[in-house]
Amino acid sequence: MTLARDTAMKNPTNSLKRRFSLKFLKTLVRIRKSRPPPSPSASSSWEIRWRAQKIKLAAYSSMALSVGSKRTWSRALTMKLRATMGNRRWSSWKGSKKMTKRRIVAKKNMEKRHLEKDMNSGLQQLRQLVPGGESMDPRSLLEETAHFVRCLETQVRVMRSIVEGFPC
Amino acid sequence: MHPCSSSSREMERDMDMNSILNHGNISPSRHQLPLQDLHNHPIHGRAAAHFDPVPGDQEFLDQMFSNISSSSWADLHSADCDTNGNAVGPFGAHFDESAVLVSKLRQHQISGGSGSSTLAKALLLQQQMVMGRGFDSSHSDIPGVDESVQALYNSFGGSIHGGGCGGSQLLNTSLQIHHRQGGSPSFGAQAQATNPAQAVSGSMITASGGGGNTSASQPRPKVRARRGQATDPHSIAERLRRERIAERMRALQELVPNANKTDKASMLDEIIDYVKFLQLQVKVLSMSRLGGAAAVAPLVADMGGGGIDCLQANGGGSGGDGSTNDSLTVTENQVAKLMEEDMGSAMQYLQGKGLCLMPISLAAAISTSTCQPGRRPASTGDVPTSPSMSGMTAQSTAGGNRGGPDGSSSTKEAAASVPKP
């Protein structure tokens, strides 16, 4: 995958990987620090699940942050994460207003254009999967999906290498 | 901004037609007069101007929409198929079909048909003309009607052509059909005349609705060529849009590991599955970091054995929590049952879950190769009670996963978390 092609297609490059890894590791360290003193393996499943959720959020947020606001999905994801973490400073009401307007326009466009039914349902599912996808026309939705898939792959690769690389 | 402007006009027209539809029936004996009226009101400019409710026009339109029955669109299509001169039925059928056309037109407008409303209106009027002719045959006033109809259609043709649809030529051909019939009062001839007209109308509507797809093979080649011209601006826009979408789909397809592009819908499903799979991997990897088979147990119990089956405990290596996984045993049992019947179905079942079979020795080899030297491989340490399962990490199995079914070995292993090829 040449760099030219990446920039042409607006795909994540190696620099993204580096950025993501750095951010993610920092977040992990922070999580580990805030972790209670290492309990025996028989920790409650609830606690484990909660911690896993935190790590997952950390992964997604560091990914979204390293992508920045260049992409719709990263913007949407960032806002959603910030809302989840209950941060009032970045309250997303402004963003959601924009989203609703765009959503209305997108719905109108969808009604006008006669999309095939099966493609429609598939696109609907994609909208639910990709963050911020509810208010986008099909073409940009597919583009966002492509970028999102690449970022997810990067994320998975980094996480795997971390998991594999550390001894028990 | 063509579609936007036409859509607003369509809304207007919609309301007009709805109001008109609510009027009562008007006796059909007043056919001729409104025809002349319409002829006298020269129709030019955009199509919307035609159908503003001028008093004479309104009565005319009332008659058009009188006696609306609710036959189905299928009837009209069957009329299309009978285009080779077979009379569709008694003359009453014509009424029904025009009524169907009216209702379809209304629905089409409501759904925002792309600028075909003018064309559909023209066709509607044409239908009415034919019906009018049928009615008036007894009055033997046909030549007058013909002239008015001819003039009407010419003006319509001009206006519609200005409006961007090439349906004028279409109408002219149909008009010529009518005239070729010699204006004879026979219903049969008119039936024949209407059939190609209806076929053309049906095909025109479907074509304009469907963006130029080859919906009708029954109209004559002349019509087909014109249909390409007729829907040009809209079909070009449609085509461009579809091309752009297809381009993005192709780019996505290169990303997703499954490369056989059959059609858009299945490709989209593949993409969706792949995104779900990636998200699941992130979730599982975030779990695994915490370590311990106990971490894995609730995860697997959640998923019920689908997807990633079990994950090696890297962070902890702490042993065999034997609470592994009722879900795994369920899968095991099912696979055993399937294997008794048919090996192929068992393999398919496993692959559907993202697993595959491999001999124990291979699994052990893989697990030892990927483990750090200082680390005890999980398979030897916390071997679960059922000897036929071993846990592998996602990555390690990605490499060596093609262990096919080993028919010779009695005990088989299922390896976990195959990324779908």
Side-chain angles (χ1 to χ4, degrees):
Chain A
M1 208 191 321
T2 65
L3 201 62
R5 183 170 153 212
D6 275 342
T7 48
M9 302 265 294
K10 295 188 190 160
N11 280 325
T13 60
N14 290 331
S15 64
L16 175 77
K17 208 198 288 192
R18 259 178 270 133
R19 270 180 285 153
F20 168 67
S21 338
L22 277 177
K23 279 212 169 74
F24 189 47
L25 285 173
K26 280 188 199 164
T27 326
L28 276 183
V29 165
R30 194 165 52 109
I31 288 182
R32 187 182 173 84
K33 274 188 191 160
S34 72
R35 193 179 169 174
S39 47
S41 60
S43 31
S44 68
S45 62
W46 176 87
E47 186 185 310
I48 288 174
R49 207 174 298 185
W50 179 73
R51 201 151 303 278
Q53 176 79 5
K54 272 190 100 169
I55 289 183
K56 189 175 76 161
L57 279 179
Y60 278 117
S61 66
S62 45
M63 172 57 71
L65 280 177
S66 35
V67 167
S69 47
K70 282 184 290 184
R71 287 271 147 184
T72 316
W73 68 263
S74 71
R75 287 192 292 263
L77 192 55
T78 315
M79 281 196 274
K80 189 167 62 157
L81 288 172
R82 281 174 178 159
T84 327
M85 295 197 288
N87 217 330
R88 288 296 171 235
R89 258 191 302 163
W90 293 288
S91 69
S92 52
W93 63 272
K94 266 187 193 168
S96 60
K97 244 194 212 174
K98 248 189 243 174
M99 288 299 206
T100 47
K101 211 189 268 186
R102 241 186 278 159
R103 206 175 298 147
I104 291 172
V105 170
K107 265 197 186 161
K108 239 197 237 174
N109 290 339
M110 290 270 296
E111 282 165 7
K112 274 188 192 166
R113 301 165 182 170
H114 303 282
L115 292 172
E116 305 154 9
K117 224 183 237 183
D118 45 358
M119 184 147 163
N120 240 350
S121 73
L123 282 178
Q124 197 58 35
Q125 278 183 295
L126 258 188
R127 277 172 217 269
Q128 290 166 0
L129 281 178
V130 176
E134 293 88 7
S135 53
M136 281 197 289
D137 56 322
R139 188 165 33 118
S140 39
L141 180 65
L142 289 180
E143 195 178 329
E144 289 289 325
T145 312
H147 195 263
F148 189 55
V149 161
R150 279 196 203 267
C151 286
L152 274 182
E153 277 175 357
T154 316
Q155 202 172 354
V156 165
R157 241 178 281 147
V158 167
M159 285 169 87
R160 262 190 199 154
S161 55
I162 290 177
V163 162
E164 295 289 317
F166 277 103
C168 77
Chain B
M1 289 287 111
H2 184 76
C4 294
S5 54
S6 62
S7 71
S8 61
R9 290 215 182 77
E10 284 158 10
M11 300 298 268
E12 279 177 26
R13 218 173 291 118
D14 225 2
M15 294 189 299
D16 290 343
M17 290 181 73
N18 279 332
S19 62
I20 283 166
L21 279 169
N22 293 335
H23 290 310
N25 288 344
I26 301 187
S27 67
S29 64
R30 289 165 42 194
H31 270 228
Q32 274 191 329
L33 183 56
L35 284 177
Q36 300 290 345
D37 270 348
L38 209 51
H39 169 51
N40 291 335
H41 296 287
I43 300 167
H44 40 253
R46 298 284 306 195
H50 306 168
F51 297 103
D52 295 336
V54 181
D57 293 345
Q58 188 155 8
E59 293 164 356
F60 177 62
L61 289 173
D62 283 343
Q63 290 169 26
M64 276 169 48
F65 299 132
S66 65
N67 305 334
I68 284 179
S69 68
S70 62
S71 19
S72 66
W73 185 243
D75 293 344
L76 196 55
H77 273 302
S78 60
D80 293 343
C81 297
D82 294 341
T83 187
N84 289 331
N86 296 331
V88 172
F91 182 72
H94 290 260
F95 244 147
D96 293 347
E97 282 144 4
S98 77
V100 165
L101 200 55
V102 166
S103 58
K104 278 299 156 190
L105 166 67
R106 193 157 50 93
Q107 287 174 19
H108 201 63
Q109 285 184 343
I110 290 172
S111 67
S114 51
S116 67
S117 54
T118 62
L119 183 61
K121 282 258 176 183
L123 292 168
L124 194 57
L125 276 179
Q126 165 200 341
Q127 284 285 352
Q128 187 60 29
M129 300 308 173
V130 170
M131 276 168 23
R133 285 178 67 206
F135 256 120
D136 298 331
S137 64
S138 55
H139 301 291
S140 72
D141 272 336
I142 290 177
V145 176
D146 276 357
E147 285 170 2
S148 68
V149 164
Q150 171 80 40
L152 184 62
Y153 274 111
N154 283 338
S155 55
F156 252 117
S159 66
I160 287 176
H161 203 65
C165 304
S168 59
Q169 296 161 341
L170 191 59
L171 292 175
N172 284 339
T173 59
S174 53
L175 197 56
Q176 287 160 18
I177 296 169
H178 294 171
H179 282 280
R180 235 176 270 133
Q181 301 296 335
S184 64
S186 69
F187 291 130
Q190 283 172 1
Q192 284 190 1
T194 52
N195 276 338
Q198 286 165 11
V200 156
S201 72
S203 65
M204 281 306 301
I205 286 183
T206 51
S208 50
N213 290 334
T214 62
S215 61
S217 55
Q218 53 279 32
R220 295 174 272 165
K222 212 197 295 182
V223 173
R224 203 181 295 141
R226 286 205 182 109
R227 175 159 36 109
Q229 290 174 10
T231 56
D232 226 12
H234 305 284
S235 68
I236 276 184
E238 281 274 332
R239 227 177 293 141
L240 206 59
R241 195 180 59 90
R242 279 183 205 276
E243 269 172 24
R244 290 203 195 113
I245 288 187
E247 181 185 320
R248 306 263 186 242
M249 292 274 308
R250 251 176 279 135
L252 263 179
Q253 175 196 336
E254 289 169 18
L255 277 183
V256 176
N258 196 353
N260 53 337
K261 172 173 184 174
T262 50
D263 66 320
K264 263 197 243 173
S266 65
M267 202 53 225
L268 214 57
D269 288 339
E270 277 294 328
I271 290 168
I272 289 171
D273 284 342
Y274 188 59
V275 169
K276 283 191 198 158
F277 169 71
L278 284 178
Q279 287 179 336
L280 187 63
Q281 271 194 323
V282 169
K283 183 173 174 187
V284 166
L285 281 171
S286 68
M287 277 256 181
S288 78
R289 231 38 74 68
L290 306 177
V296 177
L299 170 69
V300 178
D302 279 346
M303 293 190 295
I308 297 178
D309 214 299
C310 49
L311 198 66
Q312 182 169 14
N314 287 314
S318 51
D321 214 6
S323 69
T324 9
N325 315 305
D326 305 325
S327 52
L328 285 181
T329 50
V330 164
T331 311
E332 265 184 351
N333 293 335
Q334 278 188 330
V335 169
K337 247 184 277 174
L338 278 176
M339 275 201 289
E340 285 167 5
E341 310 167 12
D342 175 14
M343 201 55 218
S345 64
M347 287 303 293
Q348 279 177 10
Y349 174 80
L350 278 179
Q351 279 176 8
K353 290 190 163 294
L355 309 172
C356 83
L357 288 182
M358 66 167 60
I360 297 182
S361 48
L362 182 57
I366 289 179
S367 72
T368 51
S369 68
T370 53
C371 278
Q372 296 288 329
R375 190 159 47 139
R376 248 180 345 153
S379 55
T380 62
D382 50 346
V383 127
T385 52
S386 70
S388 62
M389 287 304 217
S390 81
M392 317 279 294
T393 55
Q395 184 157 21
S396 57
T397 52
N401 226 342
R402 293 312 181 180
D406 192 356
S408 59
S409 78
S410 54
T411 62
K412 311 221 173 195
E413 299 249 4
S417 85
V418 184
K420 234 173 164 185

